[in-house]
Amino acid sequence: MKLKTTILLLLLFIASSLFAQFSLQTEYFYLKLINDQQNYALISDNIKNSELTVNNITANLDTPNKYSTLYLTELANSHLFIENNSLALFYYLYQRCLFPNDSISTYQKKPFVELVYSLNLNDSVISSYWDITSKKNIPKNTNERIILLLKLTTQLHLDELSTPIYKLGLNLRKNNITPPTWYQHWEYLTMIGFKEKQKMEILKKEISGKRKIQVYSKAINYYLKNNSPKHAEELISQYRKEDLSIIRKFDVMLKLIRLKTIKMLK
């Protein structure tokens, strides 16, 4: 019986992929089926392909679609089943901020609470996040809702969320909206390669001393790696003016060698 069900599910997925037009409804029903069957292999494989669906949802935030709410809820359930708890919480918050639904909210509280506890977060996160993302409290404007979601998810400081948060922030820029300054700082530190714990410490106060030197070093590496020698050279010039240790002075020398090599190859 399980084999027959799996074959039917695979046929449904193949058939859905043949449609020229993207169908969120089809994606939702497929996701719900494999979640209901608790087929670990299919759920894991589908999550790899879910990014395209999420991108379509994000690109059409102003177009009401009940399946956006349903799909995001099921996607959170998929992540729960394979124990990607950070991403499960992200998609619960995504749905609650951007596609609120009172009927779904009524049975969402218990898994939401368990998720927060599983990530070693405290009761204050449960009460504040649940209340802030209630349908009656979220902003009416779509871009303000995105900013709210960015604020809540960045404050969790979970490394697994850096990529989906970063991609969501790009959506604001596509809408010609300049993100808040606090988010731009987070975005820059993410881009040049800092982990969440490091970002949390850096963003708590003014960047100075060892942290400033560390930011310079990572930023230069990023621009050298991405073939932007002109900006890398500008940063190296600023980096050298800092009070550097012997190790950091050696770091400058290595970066200058890399810079020279890149210029020679151009």
Side-chain angles (χ1 to χ4, degrees):
M1 185 66 183
K2 283 187 176 180
L3 179 60
K4 288 182 179 179
T5 303
T6 301
I7 293 172
L8 287 171
L9 290 172
L10 285 170
L11 289 173
L12 175 63
F13 180 72
I14 293 169
S16 69
S17 67
L18 296 177
F19 286 112
Q21 186 176 2
F22 171 78
S23 171
L24 182 56
Q25 180 179 354
T26 302
E27 294 290 333
Y28 161 67
F29 281 121
Y30 175 73
L31 183 55
K32 189 171 191 320
L33 275 170
I34 61 175
N35 280 346
D36 289 345
Q37 291 295 320
Q38 296 189 343
N39 188 315
Y40 190 96
L42 284 178
I43 290 172
S44 298
D45 187 61
N46 188 66
I47 279 178
K48 298 173 187 175
N49 301 316
S50 66
E51 186 174 336
L52 176 62
T53 305
V54 174
N55 288 343
N56 274 279
I57 291 172
T58 304
N60 295 282
L61 292 177
D62 291 319
T63 305
N65 188 333
K66 70 175 183 178
Y67 289 105
S68 297
T69 300
L70 296 171
Y71 182 87
L72 290 167
T73 302
E74 284 299 325
L75 183 56
N77 292 340
S78 288
H79 282 290
L80 263 180
F81 182 73
I82 64 172
E83 298 182 349
N84 286 341
N85 290 358
S86 297
L87 286 166
L89 182 57
F90 176 81
Y91 286 113
Y92 271 145
L93 291 170
Y94 191 124
Q95 179 268 309
R96 288 179 63 78
C97 286
L98 296 171
F99 303 98
N101 183 291
D102 287 335
S103 61
I104 287 178
S105 185
T106 57
Y107 66 81
Q108 203 175 52
K109 183 70 178 285
K110 184 177 179 181
F112 184 88
V113 171
E114 293 302 320
L115 263 178
V116 173
Y117 285 149
S118 74
L119 294 168
N120 293 318
L121 302 169
N122 55 36
D123 288 331
S124 65
V125 173
I126 295 172
S127 58
S128 62
Y129 274 48
W130 187 260
D131 184 57
I132 291 169
T133 59
S134 296
K135 187 176 180 179
K136 63 181 180 180
N137 292 330
I138 60 171
K140 301 298 181 186
N141 180 274
T142 299
N143 289 323
E144 289 178 4
R145 290 184 181 192
I146 295 174
I147 291 171
L148 173 62
L149 178 55
L150 292 174
K151 182 178 181 180
L152 294 176
T153 50
T154 54
Q155 288 177 347
L156 292 172
H157 302 296
L158 299 170
D159 283 319
E160 296 87 351
L161 301 189
S162 291
T163 297
I165 293 171
Y166 188 86
K167 289 180 179 178
L168 185 64
L170 293 178
N171 194 66
L172 281 178
R173 298 187 184 280
K174 289 178 183 177
N175 292 344
N176 295 317
I177 303 295
T178 301
T181 302
W182 60 263
Y183 177 76
Q184 293 180 50
H185 292 163
W186 179 92
E187 185 180 50
Y188 184 76
L189 293 175
T190 301
M191 181 183 73
I192 63 176
F194 279 98
K195 297 293 186 182
E196 282 299 324
K197 185 177 180 181
Q198 296 170 312
K199 283 184 276 186
M200 179 175 64
E201 294 173 355
I202 292 171
L203 295 172
K204 277 182 180 178
K205 49 189 176 182
E206 184 180 347
I207 301 176
S208 60
K210 291 183 180 180
R211 283 299 184 194
K212 187 177 181 180
I213 290 170
Q214 193 176 14
V215 170
Y216 269 130
S217 182
K218 279 189 172 289
I220 294 165
N221 287 341
Y222 172 81
Y223 288 107
L224 287 172
K225 183 179 179 181
N226 287 277
N227 204 26
S228 303
K230 187 174 181 179
H231 188 51
E233 189 171 15
E234 292 170 349
L235 290 173
I236 290 173
S237 178
Q238 297 170 32
Y239 183 38
R240 298 175 76 176
K241 294 176 184 177
E242 297 296 319
D243 184 16
L244 303 178
S245 65
I246 295 175
I247 293 175
R248 287 295 180 182
K249 287 178 181 177
F250 182 69
D251 184 44
V252 170
M253 185 178 70
L254 292 177
K255 285 174 168 50
L256 286 170
I257 292 171
R258 286 178 63 192
L259 177 64
K260 186 176 181 179
T261 302
I262 292 171
K263 284 184 173 182
M264 288 174 61
L265 294 174
K266 273 188 167 290

